[in-house]
Amino acid sequence: MDNDLDMRTAEPADAPAIAELVREAYAKWLPVAGRPPLPMTVDYAEALNAHRFDLLVTDRRLVALIETTPQEGDLRIVNVAVRPTDQGRGYGVRLLRHAEALAADAGLAATRLYTNRLFVANVRLYVWLGYEIEREEVLNGGVAVHMRKTVARSQPNSE
């Protein structure tokens, strides 16, 4: 993994770069789904007001992101995206583990996400990382696979 990679929380000025990265990252799924995946349709200026975005950057270039929000006692992973030229370097896994740590630190029980059933590589990755399939549902013209991973909650320091 690159040593010159920094993680930071997104700011409102990051919305255009986030939208661009998401378009690039999800473009490969257009022919699979037959329509734009939901993250390609989001207004990221609005999303930045509602959700947390953690960004991986190198030389001021956005490489990857994860969007999260607390929901019903868990941390929902709304979106994880890696620029296509940077895929295969472990950045997505790093961000998913970061979300798990955020959930644990907040005392939340689990992380949750969903993906399109047609995105088989994503489903396999999430299962490999310990996510369990909870259910499937018809959503936005496709079938969403809802997944959950229990996290070990952080223990308060006893000092």
Side-chain angles (χ1 to χ4, degrees):
M1 204 166 300
D2 296 351
N3 291 331
D4 62 344
L5 202 61
D6 294 313
M7 187 177 306
R8 67 173 176 82
T9 304
E11 301 170 357
D14 292 312
I18 289 170
E20 176 188 342
L21 182 140
V22 169
R23 280 192 305 274
E24 289 180 24
Y26 283 86
K28 69 181 180 184
W29 298 118
L30 282 166
V32 176
R35 60 177 168 67
L38 185 59
M40 293 179 84
T41 67
V42 170
D43 178 335
Y44 284 99
E46 286 183 22
L48 278 160
N49 290 323
H51 300 151
R52 176 181 174 142
F53 284 76
D54 291 292
L55 311 177
L56 286 179
V57 295
T58 182
D59 299 324
R60 295 187 299 189
R61 184 176 69 89
L62 180 57
V63 172
L65 65 86
I66 193 160
E67 175 185 359
T68 57
T69 189
Q71 186 177 53
E72 299 174 5
D74 295 330
L75 186 66
R76 181 171 158 237
I77 298 169
V78 178
N79 186 6
V80 59
V82 179
R83 192 174 301 281
T85 55
D86 294 298
Q87 291 177 2
R89 297 180 183 178
Y91 299 151
V93 171
R94 177 177 171 177
L95 287 167
L96 289 164
R97 290 191 173 134
H98 173 70
E100 293 163 18
L102 290 174
D105 290 348
L108 302 173
T111 54
R112 291 183 182 272
L113 55 81
Y114 71 84
T115 190
N116 189 313
R117 181 171 62 188
L118 297 174
F119 302 170
V120 176
N122 288 0
V123 174
R124 282 189 194 134
L125 173 65
Y126 300 140
V127 168
W128 179 77
L129 290 170
Y131 284 80
E132 296 179 359
I133 296 173
E134 288 190 306
R135 64 187 169 88
E136 294 184 354
E137 84 172 309
V138 175
L139 183 68
N140 300 324
V143 177
V145 179
H146 292 264
M147 306 179 84
R148 182 178 190 269
K149 182 176 182 179
T150 301
V151 297
R153 294 182 188 192
S154 294
Q155 299 298 318
N157 196 346
S158 60
E159 292 180 41

